[in-house]
Amino acid sequence: MKVTVVGAGAVGATVADNIARKELCEELVLLDIKEGVAEGKALDMTQTAALLNFDTRIIGSTNDYAKTAGSDVVVITSGLPRKPGMTREELIGVNAGIVRGVAQNILEHSPEAIFIIVSNPMDTMTYLTLQATGLPKERIIGMGGALDSARFKCYLALELGCSPADLNAVVVGGHGDTTMIPLIRQATWNSVPVTNFLSEEKQKEIVQNTMVGGATLTKLLGTSAWYAPGAAGAAMVEAIVRDEKKLITCSVKLEGEYGQNDICLGVPVILGKKGWEKILDFQLNADEQALFAKSADAVRSMNNVLQTV
Ligand code: NAD
C-alpha cells in the first residue's frame, strides 16, 4: 500500500504521523509546495520509528509529484487554514485554485487513487475535486463528519462522564458552523438514547458546542486545530486500506439520497477498499430533514461561487 498526504502543515503532518504509527501502508509520501518542509517533517517522523516501533517508509517531497506515483489513497490537506473570526467558507477563493491544481497533479501520477479531501470549505472542495478529476464518485470522499462526530462524542462524554468509545453519535450535513447537524435524537450510550440522560437545555448546549467546535479551537489556537482533524483523516485512510467497512459520516456525492442531487454533503457511508461503498439512510425526522435541506442550500450556494474563482 502507498499513501500520499498533500500539505505538510499542521493537519497533513498529523495525518501522516497517525498513518505511520499505525503502519497503515508500506510507503507514505508527504508533499508540500514549501521548499524542504515535507522532507524535514518526513525525516523527523522517520526518526520516531525506533521509538514508536513502526516500519512505514516516509518520503518527503517539495512539489515533486513523481514521488507520489502509484498511490492507493491520497489525502489533500493543502490550503489556507482559517484564522480567528473567519468562517471555513471565506477560504474558497485561495483554496479552490490550490485543490484543483493538486488534484490534477495527483491524478496524472496515481490514476487509481482514492481521494480524501480535508481542505476547507471541505464540502465544496470535495465537489470541486469530483469535477476536476472526473473520477467515479466512490473515490472522492470529504473529511468532515468523522471529525465533527468525534467532537460531538467528546462533548457528550464530558457531560455524561462516560467513555467516548461507548457512544454512537453522528453529525450529518455540511461541515460548517451553521450547516452541520449533530443528530442528538439518534445518539446512544451503549444503545440507550443519550436523551434519556440529558435535559433539553444540556442537549441544546452540546449540539451548539459541537457546531462551533472548530471555531472554539481556532479562537484558542490562532489557527485551526490539527490533532483531531489529523486523527479523523487517518481513521478514514485506515477504513479504506484495511477494508474495514466502517460506518463513518463523510461528504460524498448525493444522487437522490436524503432528497439531494448534484452536491457533496455529509451522510453516513460504509468505507472500504473501493472508497465509499454505500450510503445509509438514517431516516431523519421532518425537523432533521428540514435542517439537512437548509444545509444543502448553503453548500450549494458555496458551490456556485466556484464558477467565479
Ligand atoms: P497549514 O497552513 O498548517 O498547512 C497547509 C499546508 O499546505 C502548508 O504547509 C502549505 O505550504 C501547503 N500548501 C499550500 N499550497 C500548496 C500546494 N499548491 N501544494 C502543496 N502544498 C501546498 O494548514 P492546516 O492547519 O494544516 O490546514 C490545512 C487545510 O485543512 C485548511 O484548509 C484547513 O481549513 C483545513 N482543515 C479541514 C478540516 C476538516 O475537518 N475538513 C479540519 C482542520 C483543517
Side-chain angles (χ1 to χ4, degrees):
M1 277 287 169
K2 177 167 175 174
V3 177
T4 287
V5 178
V6 181
V11 177
T14 312
V15 171
D17 189 33
N18 279 287
I19 290 173
R21 285 170 190 244
K22 289 188 160 188
E23 294 187 310
L24 297 183
C25 54
E26 285 80 39
E27 195 177 326
L28 174 60
V29 179
L30 188 57
L31 180 145
D32 202 284
I33 201 165
K34 246 186 253 161
E35 188 72 41
V37 170
E39 287 87 340
K41 292 200 181 180
L43 182 58
D44 192 10
M45 273 179 228
T46 299
Q47 290 169 0
T48 69
L51 300 161
L52 300 171
N53 216 4
F54 66 78
D55 287 316
T56 294
R57 196 158 71 93
I58 312 168
I59 298 150
S61 162
T62 302
N63 229 23
D64 177 4
Y65 281 84
K67 292 197 174 131
T68 70
S71 293
D72 299 286
V73 182
V74 175
V75 186
I76 300 182
T77 75
S78 46
L80 291 189
R82 55 182 175 156
K83 298 288 169 215
M86 268 177 110
T87 64
R88 294 173 176 94
E89 288 75 11
E90 286 174 78
L91 300 168
I92 190 168
V94 180
N95 286 356
I98 293 176
V99 170
R100 190 184 284 118
V102 166
Q104 282 160 349
N105 282 329
I106 287 289
L107 186 63
E108 206 175 297
H109 293 86
S110 301
E112 303 301 325
I114 292 170
F115 286 60
I116 296 176
I117 314 302
V118 177
S119 312
N120 274 318
M122 182 278 296
D123 298 293
T124 297
M125 292 303 118
T126 305
Y127 184 75
L128 166 73
T129 307
L130 197 62
Q131 288 186 326
T133 60
L135 286 175
K137 59 183 181 177
E138 294 79 11
R139 285 168 50 196
I140 307 287
I141 314 167
M143 191 288 280
L147 170 64
D148 299 330
S149 302
R151 286 180 173 154
F152 188 22
K153 287 184 196 173
C154 163
Y155 287 118
L156 282 167
L158 289 173
E159 186 56 40
L160 294 166
C162 73
S163 164
D166 282 346
L167 295 169
N168 269 308
V170 302
V171 176
V172 297
H175 177 59
D177 298 353
T178 56
T179 58
M180 70 177 75
I181 309 158
L183 291 177
I184 195 141
R185 181 183 65 90
Q186 305 205 14
T188 60
W189 179 8
N190 274 336
S191 81
V192 180
V194 297
T195 50
N196 287 12
F197 307 100
L198 300 166
S199 66
E200 293 242 333
E201 198 186 327
K202 266 296 162 215
Q203 292 177 36
K204 276 195 191 129
E205 191 184 311
I206 290 168
V207 165
Q208 187 53 25
N209 284 343
T210 303
M211 292 175 77
V212 297
T216 302
L217 286 162
T218 303
K219 207 166 150 199
L220 290 167
L221 297 165
T223 184
S224 66
W226 55 89
Y227 290 115
M236 288 170 63
V237 172
E238 184 169 15
I240 294 166
V241 301
R242 296 202 167 137
D243 196 21
E244 289 180 327
K245 316 286 186 205
K246 232 178 176 166
L247 193 153
I248 300 181
T249 312
C250 299
S251 185
V252 300
K253 169 109 185 282
L254 300 181
E255 289 176 341
E257 299 89 350
Y258 289 83
Q260 295 300 326
N261 271 297
D262 192 31
I263 191 166
C264 292
L265 215 53
V267 290
V269 300
I270 299 296
L271 280 192
K273 66 177 178 209
K274 294 185 191 136
W276 68 266
E277 299 184 350
K278 191 176 167 184
I279 295 177
L280 272 92
D281 181 0
F282 265 30
Q283 311 207 338
L284 305 186
N285 65 21
D287 289 348
E288 292 158 349
Q289 191 58 51
L291 287 173
F292 196 87
K294 202 169 147 221
S295 176
D297 287 346
V299 170
R300 195 168 277 114
S301 57
M302 188 55 45
N303 292 351
N304 290 339
V305 176
L306 284 176
Q307 284 151 15
T308 62
V309 293

